[in-house]
Amino acid sequence: MSRIAYVNGRYLPHRHASVHVEDRGYQFADGVYEVCEVLGGRLVDERRHLERLDRSLRELAIPTPMTHAALSAVLHEVVRRNSVTDGMVYLQVTRGVARRDHPFPPPGTAPSVVVTARRTDRAAQDATAAKGVAVITVPENRWPRVDIKSTSLLPNVLAKQQAKEAGAREAWFVAPDGTVTEGASTNAWIVTPDRRILTRPAEGGILRGITRTVVLEVAKALGYQLEERAFTVAEAHAASEAFITAATTVVMPVVRLDGVLVGQGVPGPIATTLRLKFHDFSEVS
Ligand code: PLP
């Protein structure tokens, strides 16, 4: 079955789904995106993702392409047309098509909207989570506005490739002061030996992950001790557990950091519990 994408008002097979060569997303990475988990054919935390999309658009002064209701209809339709039961839906909005010139295009230039969806293998993901993943650290080299979910992801791409070549799943960016900011496509967490869960404040050089927001709620509801504060690589090495969060991975235990075992080198009980309980707290639509 051919995959179907939504491109600027049309549902098209992928081989015909394309944007203009002068789309500013293509030329300048002048766009933003969202990724929602799809579970049982429904969207997980769609409302929060659309609210974050609005914020990203506002911060970059990209016009809102359509109402939440219209966007939601497109997201669900792309999921339906691709028969995605478990997987993800990707939404990208760029500043639109215009003759290549750095300043914004003329007012009235329509933003471009692309939506794709694909299946993921839940059993394989759960098997990975049961074993845990490896993470490496890399120097933070991104722009300071990582709070915006921009398609401009070159440092993240390079960091992920470095992780892959090292046999790891993720790379954690490390700020000059030795603290971990976040992963190339995930938020970073540790559990201290005295069972406190630490994750960096969203105001401090990270993307405010939707999964992160929900995991904070889950952790509170389960009565875990939480601290939103930056932690160092040294603290991560001394941690009893570590994990990463994102819409596509939910909660993924980290068992190795820069080649050194985290805790016992197996998924910890807190990360495992948060993964198990996550969908009791997320919204579906
Ligand atoms: N941090 C970065 C840099 C990301 O790219 C992502 C997701 O793509 C996240 C964190 C996690 O965000 P969310 O939980 O909303 O998927």
Side-chain angles (χ1 to χ4, degrees), residues 33-35 49 52 142 146 149 153 156 173 182-187 206-213 245-248:
Y33 73 107
E34 281 297 328
V35 177
H49 283 281
R52 187 174 63 185
R142 300 174 300 161
V146 295
K149 200 163 168 65
L153 289 170
N156 311 56
F173 289 111
E182 64 181 331
S185 66
T186 59
N187 288 117
I206 65 166
L207 179 75
R208 187 187 291 273
I210 303 301
T211 319
R212 175 188 178 281
T213 299
T245 58
T248 44

Side-chain angles (χ1 to χ4, degrees), residues 186-219:
T186 59
N187 288 117
W189 307 66
I190 60 169
V191 181
T192 62
D194 60 355
R195 291 174 61 83
R196 277 174 301 124
I197 302 176
L198 305 188
T199 198
R200 195 179 181 93
E203 295 73 25
I206 65 166
L207 179 75
R208 187 187 291 273
I210 303 301
T211 319
R212 175 188 178 281
T213 299
V214 176
V215 166
L216 286 172
E217 281 177 19
V218 182

Side-chain angles (χ1 to χ4, degrees), residues 74-256:
V74 171
L75 292 169
H76 283 88
E77 184 61 12
V78 172
V79 167
R80 192 189 69 75
R81 288 194 189 218
N82 288 281
S83 307
V84 174
T85 309
D86 294 329
M88 53 170 271
V89 60
Y90 175 88
L91 159 66
Q92 177 172 314
V93 181
T94 75
R95 207 182 299 275
V97 176
R99 190 174 67 93
R100 188 178 184 280
D101 195 11
H102 288 67
F104 292 176
T109 303
S112 298
V113 181
V114 167
V115 178
T116 58
R118 72 164 188 246
R119 296 176 198 170
T120 49
D121 183 345
R122 254 176 88 75
Q125 284 246 25
D126 286 342
T128 302
K131 282 196 295 196
V133 297
V135 166
I136 61 165
T137 56
V138 295
E140 177 65 271
N141 60 354
R142 300 174 300 161
W143 76 323
R145 294 307 311 273
V146 295
D147 56 301
I148 300 170
K149 200 163 168 65
S150 154
T151 56
S152 180
L153 289 170
L154 211 36
N156 311 56
V157 167
L158 296 178
K160 272 284 206 231
Q161 179 62 21
Q162 202 177 323
K164 189 176 173 184
E165 287 171 11
R169 172 61 97 81
E170 181 58 298
W172 280 359
F173 289 111
V174 179
D177 66 357
T179 58
V180 173
T181 53
E182 64 181 331
S185 66
T186 59
N187 288 117
W189 307 66
I190 60 169
V191 181
T192 62
D194 60 355
R195 291 174 61 83
R196 277 174 301 124
I197 302 176
L198 305 188
T199 198
R200 195 179 181 93
E203 295 73 25
I206 65 166
L207 179 75
R208 187 187 291 273
I210 303 301
T211 319
R212 175 188 178 281
T213 299
V214 176
V215 166
L216 286 172
E217 281 177 19
V218 182
K220 263 180 224 147
L222 296 180
Y224 291 130
Q225 296 248 64
L226 270 177
E227 248 180 81
E228 279 186 75
R229 74 155 170 88
F231 58 85
T232 63
V233 176
E235 284 181 291
H237 278 301
S240 56
E241 294 185 37
F243 56 96
I244 51 180
T245 58
T248 44
T249 38
V250 191
V251 176
M252 183 59 72
V254 173
V255 294
R256 203 176 270 272

